[in-house]
Each structure stands twice: as structure tokens, then as C-alpha cells.
Amino acid sequence: MKLFNLVIAFFLFTGAAQAATLTELQQEALNNRKIIEKYQANLEIGKKNVNLAKSRYYPSVDFSYTVNALDESSAIENKENSVAYGAITWNLFSGFQDKYNVKSAKLSRKAEEIRLQGIKQDIQLNVALRYLSIYTRKASLNVAEDSYATLLKIYNDAENRFNVGLIKKNELLRFKVDLDNAVITQKKAQAELDKSVQLLRREIDTDIEPEQLLFSEFDQLPGIRDYNQYETEMLKNRSELQTLQELTQAAQAQTKAAYGSIYPRVDLSSSYLKYNDDFGPAGDIYDEEIRTKLTLSINLFDGFSKYNRVDKAKLIVDTLQYDLIELECDLKTQLKNLFLDYGVSSENVEVAQSSIEQAEENLRITRMSYQEGIEKESDLLDAITSLSRAQYNYVAAKSEVFANYFKITRAIEGF
């Protein structure tokens, strides 16, 4: 039993420590998030709405049993009597209302399916951005730690130089101030990293440790294709556009259904009625009637409500079409801006890489000059600050490249 427990514990530990890629994290979020279940429930509601619309095609069956007690009998009705009644009613024609109501319900359910796809894309984008944030915060923490290590080494060297009288007290204090600032920066970077991990845990709705994240997706900068290709794919695949298109068609079907109240209505019914001169079926006198009738009816005037319903349905179609046009323009503008941001951030990565090399060489030369007494301590601190700034710029530029890439991928439903 002890051996069995050890084996189980080993597999649990290895499962918990298993490395996670971005794709695996996104799938974990799709499996765990309750918002997915919410929209799946909406799909079931849409299915029920379709069934409700189809129910109008079936006949209606009603039954009633009435017991009457009068103060005294009359010529036509006993003091105690009962009536059993049953009827089957079937609408044969109602201006095609049923047909278009069913069509509208199906299109609305289709819109919910597409909306669910968009929600999944949004969740995957959020996971990617949270994942990227951890990578960025971790890189920033590394920069802060390297800056602190450099300043600590220089401070220790300056302290030794102060002890032998090579530098003044105020020069040593300048190094100490920058070293303390590096400690504060390092603690802030660690806190930001911890907060990013918490946000990712919330996004995937499960516990995960930073050590499990591989970040292999960030080894190389991503590439993108021509803008026109992305715009074509976006207009074709974007769930928000498809949802509005389906809702527009559903509204058009509702408009046709609204016309049904203007046309005549045809109903077929068959009923059975049994009168008994007692409360129960054992009366002395009873009367039965079976009646089948075909009814043609049309409303001549209802205060213009049916025409207003038609006009209202038409206006709803118009508003949805306007929304569709506006959304297309907004999405195109957003995509163009994302491409602009992607291009600038890609160029900034190259510039930042070059700046790091230059800053490292500048720090090396300045440190040697300081040790020889040619440069001042302020020049050395400026060189350290320049290197840290160049490293932070590189981290920020690389993060922006991937953030824009993820947003472009979301724009075309590419996750």
C-alpha cells in the first residue's frame, strides 16, 4: 500500500510539474471557463426556441370536465349536471407566420453558435496576452537583477576604493543611492511578475507555476503576410460579422412573419361535448355532440398595430445592417492600426538590439576609464542606466511585436 501511494504521489507530482505551452494553456482555459458553459446554455435555449416555433405546426388538444350546481333545476338544465368537452384544433394557414418564425429561430441559434466561437477566440487571445505578460515581466525582472548585480559589484569596488582613500564619501553615497533604487526596482519587477501569474491563473481557471511555462513561442519573432490577405480572411471569418449577418437574416424572417397578421387565418377543429344531468357519468339524461368546423378569419382593424409591427420589424433590419457596415469599417481600421504597430515594434526590436550592444560597450569602456580615474562616478552610473534602459526597450519592443501579432491573429479568428 505504501509503495502504491508513493507511485500515485510521483505521478501527481510529475503531472503538476509538467511544462505548459501556449496552446495547452488556451485549451485549458476553454475547458475550464464557466463563460463557455454559459454560452453553451444559450445554445440550448436557442434549440428550445426552435422547438417552440415548430410546435405551431402541430395540432392543439384540449380537454375539460365541468361540474355545475344550480339552486334549482330549469327547463333546459338539471340542478346538478356535468359537461365533458374535448377538442382538437389545427391551424392550416396564418400568413406563413409559422414558417418564418421557425426560420428566424434557427438563424438566431446559428448566431449564438458563431458568438460562442468569438468568445473562444477572445479567451485564447486573453490567455496569449497573459502568457506574454509573464514572459515580459520575467524578462524585466532579469534586467533588474542584472542591473542590481552590476551596481552591487561596482558599489563593493567603490567601497574598497573609499576605504583606501581613492574616492570621497559623497561618491560612495551616489553608488549606494543607485544600488538602493535597483533594489526597489527589482522588488517591483517581482511583484509585477507575481501579479501576471495570478492573472493567467484566473484566465485559465486553474493553478499553474511560472516554472511550468516554456515560453518557446518567443524564441523567434513572428512573421505576418500581406495586409490584403488578412483583411479578406477577417471579413470572411470574423465571428462578430457573421453574428450580425445571421441576426439580420433572422430579423428579415421576422419581418415576413409580421406580415402574417395581415393575411387571413384558416383553422380546422373537431370537438366532442357530452352533457350529463348528474355530477358523474351515471346520469339518467345525457346529450352528446361531435362538431367539426373549418374557420376562415381575418382582422379588419386592430388600431394599426399589425402595420406598426411590420414597420418595426423593417426598422430592426435596417439597424442591424447599419451596425454591420459600421463594424466592418471599425474592424478594418483596427487591423490597419495593428499592422502599423507591428511594423514599428519590429523595427524597434532591431534598434533595441543594436542599442544593447552599444550600451554594453559603453559601460565596458566607462568602467575601465573610471578605474583609471579618467571618468567620474556619475559617468559610470549613466552608463549603467543606459544599458538598463536599452535592455528594457528591447523587452518592451519584443513584447509589443508579439502582442500585435496575437491581436492580428484574433482579428482573423486564427487561434
Side-chain angles (χ1 to χ4, degrees):
M1 180 61 68
K2 290 182 179 180
L3 178 60
F4 176 79
N5 291 335
L6 287 174
V7 171
I8 294 297
F10 170 78
F11 279 108
L12 289 175
F13 174 78
T14 54
Q18 184 179 5
T21 63
L22 174 57
T23 302
E24 292 170 341
L25 293 174
Q26 290 172 326
Q27 188 59 48
E28 188 75 15
L30 295 179
N31 293 337
N32 296 340
R33 291 294 298 275
K34 297 304 179 184
I35 191 172
I36 298 295
E37 297 182 15
K38 169 190 171 183
Y39 278 89
Q40 288 174 340
N42 286 343
L43 284 179
E44 289 300 313
I45 293 175
K47 183 178 179 180
K48 298 304 179 182
N49 288 334
V50 173
N51 292 337
L52 287 172
K54 288 182 177 179
S55 66
R56 298 289 301 274
Y57 283 123
Y58 299 100
S60 174
V61 181
D62 298 280
F63 174 80
S64 67
Y65 186 79
T66 305
V67 176
N68 300 307
L70 308 178
D71 56 347
E72 61 181 12
S73 300
S74 66
I76 60 174
E77 189 173 5
N78 196 40
K79 180 179 180 180
E80 296 177 351
N81 66 83
S82 61
V83 178
Y85 177 80
I88 298 177
T89 305
W90 192 15
N91 173 252
L92 301 180
F93 180 76
S94 60
F96 304 106
Q97 277 185 328
D98 298 337
K99 172 184 176 181
Y100 291 112
N101 282 332
V102 171
K103 182 178 180 180
S104 177
K106 289 181 177 179
L107 290 169
S108 297
R109 185 177 186 276
K110 180 64 175 178
E112 287 297 329
E113 291 180 357
I114 298 172
R115 186 177 284 115
L116 176 58
Q117 296 174 8
I119 293 298
K120 290 181 177 180
Q121 288 289 316
D122 288 336
I123 289 176
Q124 292 179 91
L125 172 62
N126 291 337
V127 171
L129 294 178
R130 299 300 187 195
Y131 182 70
L132 173 62
S133 178
I134 294 177
Y135 172 79
T136 303
R137 301 299 183 187
K138 191 172 183 180
S140 297
L141 177 60
N142 292 336
V143 173
E145 290 173 344
D146 292 343
S147 178
Y148 171 77
T150 301
L151 284 169
L152 180 62
K153 184 177 180 181
I154 292 176
Y155 174 76
N156 291 333
D157 180 62
E159 194 173 31
N160 293 332
R161 291 163 66 87
F162 169 74
N163 291 333
V164 297
L166 294 178
I167 62 174
K168 298 178 181 180
K169 180 72 171 180
N170 63 332
E171 295 180 3
L172 179 63
L173 292 178
R174 288 180 181 176
F175 287 115
K176 185 63 170 65
V177 170
D178 277 49
L179 181 62
D180 291 342
N181 183 68
V183 173
I184 295 173
T185 302
Q186 185 176 346
K187 289 182 178 179
K188 287 183 177 179
Q190 182 64 58
E192 292 298 325
L193 174 59
D194 294 340
K195 288 192 291 185
S196 297
V197 173
Q198 293 297 332
L199 291 173
L200 178 62
R201 288 171 179 167
R202 170 64 188 95
E203 201 65 46
I204 64 176
D205 200 16
T206 190
D207 197 16
I208 193 168
E209 298 300 327
E211 295 76 15
Q212 296 176 248
L213 306 178
L214 293 178
F215 300 122
S216 57
E217 296 85 356
F218 306 126
D219 292 341
Q220 294 181 349
L221 293 179
I224 59 176
R225 293 172 279 120
D226 179 67
Y227 169 81
N228 292 328
Q229 296 180 16
Y230 278 92
E231 182 182 287
T232 301
E233 290 185 33
M234 181 185 69
L235 297 178
K236 177 183 177 182
N237 301 331
R238 191 68 183 239
S239 56
E240 291 92 332
L241 294 174
Q242 294 181 8
T243 299
L244 275 178
Q245 291 167 356
E246 295 295 329
L247 291 176
T248 300
Q249 294 181 37
Q252 290 171 342
Q254 281 295 319
T255 301
K256 294 179 179 179
Y259 276 106
S261 59
I262 300 176
Y263 300 118
R265 176 186 177 95
V266 179
D267 294 283
L268 175 67
S269 65
S270 180
S271 62
Y272 169 79
L273 184 145
K274 180 178 180 181
Y275 171 82
N276 200 311
D277 66 345
D278 197 354
F279 286 156
D284 297 330
I285 302 175
Y286 68 89
D287 186 22
E288 292 181 310
E289 177 189 86
I290 297 176
R291 177 176 298 185
T292 299
K293 59 182 179 179
L294 183 68
T295 305
L296 173 67
S297 61
I298 185 171
N299 174 259
L300 300 179
F301 181 74
D302 61 352
F304 305 105
S305 63
K306 53 179 174 287
Y307 297 102
N308 285 318
R309 282 195 295 269
V310 172
D311 292 339
K312 176 184 175 181
K314 290 180 179 179
L315 290 172
I316 292 175
V317 173
D318 292 339
T319 59
L320 289 171
Q321 290 175 339
Y322 297 147
D323 287 340
L324 183 59
I325 295 173
E326 287 291 320
L327 181 58
E328 285 185 0
C329 294
D330 289 342
L331 292 176
K332 288 179 182 179
T333 302
Q334 292 173 11
L335 185 61
K336 290 177 182 177
N337 289 338
L338 287 173
F339 264 73
L340 291 174
D341 291 338
Y342 177 86
V344 172
S345 56
S346 298
E347 295 174 359
N348 288 342
V349 169
E350 298 178 4
V351 175
Q353 284 178 323
S354 176
S355 297
I356 290 176
E357 296 174 0
Q358 296 171 6
E360 288 174 341
E361 181 64 15
N362 177 54
L363 177 58
R364 185 186 68 82
I365 295 173
T366 305
R367 180 183 292 182
M368 293 175 57
S369 300
Y370 173 76
Q371 291 172 350
E372 295 176 2
I374 302 175
E375 299 282 358
K376 297 181 296 184
E377 75 283 349
S378 60
D379 297 324
L380 181 57
L381 292 174
D382 288 342
I384 296 173
T385 302
S386 296
L387 177 58
S388 297
R389 183 168 58 248
Q391 291 171 332
Y392 280 121
N393 288 340
Y394 175 75
V395 170
K398 189 174 181 180
S399 176
E400 288 177 2
V401 169
F402 279 97
N404 289 314
Y405 173 74
F406 289 144
K407 292 175 182 178
I408 291 173
T409 303
R410 166 65 183 96
I412 62 170
E413 306 273 338
F415 283 116

